[in-house]
Amino acid sequence: TTISFTLSESSTVKLQIATSNNETIVREGSAGFSSGARTVVWDGKDTSGKVVAPNVYTYKLQASDSADNISSIVQGTVQVQ
């Protein structure tokens, strides 16, 4: 599953994916991205490496600048079939 987003400046991005019950199944560490259109690929596995059940999951991307100020939060859903 590919999650697309655009950054107005170079940022550190954190990804969190949760079930419909708000149970976090993935919490990716920070990754640095330059400004522009970017993507993050989720392999459909939880933090223990198990493939998740078919369902709709919510994601939250949080970007912060070099001064650690949160510059944006993007939320959406992804469907695993």
Side-chain angles (χ1 to χ4, degrees):
T1 300
T2 301
I3 300 169
S4 301
F5 57 98
T6 302
L7 297 171
S8 59
E9 60 185 298
S10 295
S11 301
T12 300
V13 176
K14 297 178 185 178
L15 172 66
Q16 179 178 326
I17 298 177
T19 66
S20 58
N21 296 329
N22 287 331
E23 176 188 347
T24 300
I25 57 169
V26 173
R27 187 181 310 249
E28 292 292 326
S30 301
F33 289 90
S34 57
S35 62
R38 302 288 168 240
T39 59
V40 173
V41 177
W42 175 45
D43 60 5
K45 296 179 182 177
D46 64 16
T47 55
S48 66
K50 294 181 182 178
V51 175
V52 299
N55 208 337
V56 175
Y57 297 88
T58 59
Y59 68 84
K60 180 167 68 171
L61 283 167
Q62 179 177 310
S64 54
D65 63 17
S66 59
D68 219 16
N69 298 310
I70 296 173
S71 57
S72 64
I73 296 176
V74 176
Q75 298 183 70
T77 60
V78 292
Q79 183 168 357
V80 175
Q81 297 181 354

